[in-house]
Amino acid sequence: MEQSNAEHVHCLIIGSGPAGYTAAIYASRANLKPVLYQGIQPGGQLTITTEVENYPGYPEGIQGPEMMVHFEKQAVRMGADIRYGLATKVDFSARPFKVWIDEEKMMTADAVIIATGASAKWLGLESEQRLNGFGVSACAVCDGFFFRGKEVAIVGAGDTACEEALYLSKLCTTVHMIVRKGEDGMKASKVMQDRVKATPNIRIYWNSETEEVVGENKVTAVKIKNNQTNEVTEVPVSGFFVAIGHQPNSDIFKDWLDMDEAGYIKTIPGTSKTNIEGVFAAGDVQDKIYRQAVTAAGSGCMAALDAERFLSAAGHV
């Protein structure tokens, strides 16, 4: 497609969710006239979350999808142009940057804010997906609070799984930790393994896999299969946490932006700036540590302010 057919904007935001919508709010207020493409999951990971109780300003809590509707409405009220569409290809070799939407429409932009987020990795069980949000979660910090005084299970063997198991151990009576390999095959650092092993209410199931999450309308148990003996144990639990990692939605940028080994976009510490001047990244696509709605929103604010300063210095606004 020739560039003459392209639509040009000052500020293009790729992805919705707390980071993208907050960037749109701030960019609109700075008169950058941002266009935001929502991506494959408008509203991001929070649209598959039920109750959100840890976002400031909602004393009674709020449903994740409803909160994202609020974010979107606020961005629209400020003047952001919110559109359906998925960025499928980019060319960051020169300004204005080129971004293709749904493989056909070309956008050009003086500045680009990437807020494409990350997707939790799942085991791929039918029961896991069916009960997602009804006792199944990929975020202990987000949802552990709902299981205070109850028994839960967590699957994973890395540092994140250990951190989440320890977090849950402070809230729950027993944490049943399912580890696919034996004790010598655990991926977590030695210090994290030692902490988990030393926590009396964490029970580790070595050489074990999740066969099924049990429950009709909510999680009631988990079936754990020992992959050495094939013995299946059904353990009553109220919550099931998946901690086998996240996948940043960054594939289309890999030829242009610096990333870590897992695919998270690298930003200059204290900023949202990437290795390409005029391209900024916010939210979970560049944050593998905190991964909270409030930190994503904060980084979306940073990206819009960084973009405003860049565009102002370049004489675009």
Side-chain angles (χ1 to χ4, degrees):
M1 184 182 290
E2 291 298 315
Q3 189 168 332
S4 58
N5 295 331
E7 179 185 354
H8 182 75
V9 296
H10 282 311
C11 180
L12 181 66
I13 301 169
I14 305 173
S16 43
Y21 286 141
T22 303
I25 290 166
Y26 274 80
S28 298
R29 286 172 57 83
N31 203 30
L32 302 186
K33 300 180 176 62
V35 169
L36 180 150
Y37 277 97
Q38 292 178 308
I40 205 163
Q41 188 179 33
Q45 291 184 81
L46 277 174
T47 58
I48 58 169
T49 305
T50 49
E51 194 80 14
V52 178
E53 289 201 333
N54 55 5
Y55 198 92
Y58 294 99
E60 305 303 321
I62 187 170
Q63 297 289 305
E66 184 186 1
M67 187 165 110
M68 285 301 91
V69 170
H70 289 180
F71 271 60
E72 181 182 352
K73 284 182 175 177
Q74 188 172 356
V76 169
R77 187 172 76 82
M78 294 299 164
D81 184 347
I82 310 288
R83 304 178 183 179
Y84 291 111
L86 176 68
T88 50
K89 177 185 168 187
V90 301
D91 180 351
F92 291 161
S93 59
R95 291 199 299 272
F97 305 115
K98 299 175 187 174
V99 177
W100 283 262
I101 306 298
D102 297 325
E103 297 182 355
E104 49 188 38
K105 178 180 175 65
M106 188 209 282
M107 301 289 294
T108 63
D110 299 316
V112 173
I113 295 173
I114 298 165
T116 46
S119 302
K121 294 179 182 176
W122 298 98
L123 298 172
L125 301 172
E126 180 278 329
S127 54
E128 168 195 54
Q129 292 306 308
R130 180 169 51 81
L131 293 166
N132 191 350
F134 300 94
V136 172
S137 170
C139 181
V141 175
C142 311
D143 299 326
F145 180 81
F146 301 115
F147 301 96
R148 287 174 301 172
K150 298 179 180 178
E151 294 196 32
V152 297
I154 184 168
V155 57
D159 278 347
T160 298
C162 288
E163 286 170 11
E164 298 217 331
L166 290 164
Y167 179 86
L168 291 167
S169 73
K170 297 180 177 72
L171 300 168
C172 305
T173 54
T174 307
V175 178
H176 301 274
M177 188 171 187
I178 305 162
V179 179
R180 188 162 53 89
K181 294 184 178 179
E183 203 166 340
D184 56 349
M186 203 167 176
K187 293 184 292 185
S189 58
K190 182 73 165 57
V191 65
M192 292 305 293
Q193 290 187 47
D194 290 345
R195 283 181 194 164
V196 165
K197 291 173 189 173
T199 304
N201 65 333
I202 297 178
R203 180 181 174 187
I204 303 174
Y205 297 73
W206 302 108
N207 299 303
S208 295
E209 297 177 34
T210 306
E211 182 139 282
E212 185 188 358
V213 185
V214 181
E216 281 298 312
N217 303 312
K218 63 178 183 177
V219 173
T220 57
V222 60
K223 287 183 181 177
I224 302 171
K225 181 180 180 179
N226 185 295
N227 54 34
Q228 305 285 298
T229 65
N230 289 328
E231 180 186 357
V232 177
T233 308
E234 185 167 316
V235 180
V237 293
S238 299
F240 180 77
F241 291 86
V242 181
I244 57 174
H246 285 74
Q247 181 65 44
N249 302 320
S250 61
D251 279 357
I252 64 167
F253 311 111
K254 64 178 184 291
D255 292 337
W256 308 100
L257 301 180
D258 291 343
M259 300 180 185
D260 70 8
E261 65 286 347
Y264 287 90
I265 296 172
K266 291 183 178 180
T267 51
I268 297 170
T271 78
S272 64
K273 298 174 183 176
T274 68
N275 57 296
I276 293 183
E277 194 177 17
V279 178
F280 308 91
D284 286 13
V285 75
Q286 54 85 53
D287 172 21
K288 63 181 177 183
I289 298 172
Y290 301 106
R291 294 201 304 264
Q292 299 299 300
V294 70
T295 49
S299 67
C301 162
M302 291 166 61
L305 295 176
D306 287 343
E308 179 193 3
R309 288 167 186 152
F310 164 76
L311 290 169
S312 181
H316 292 298
V317 290

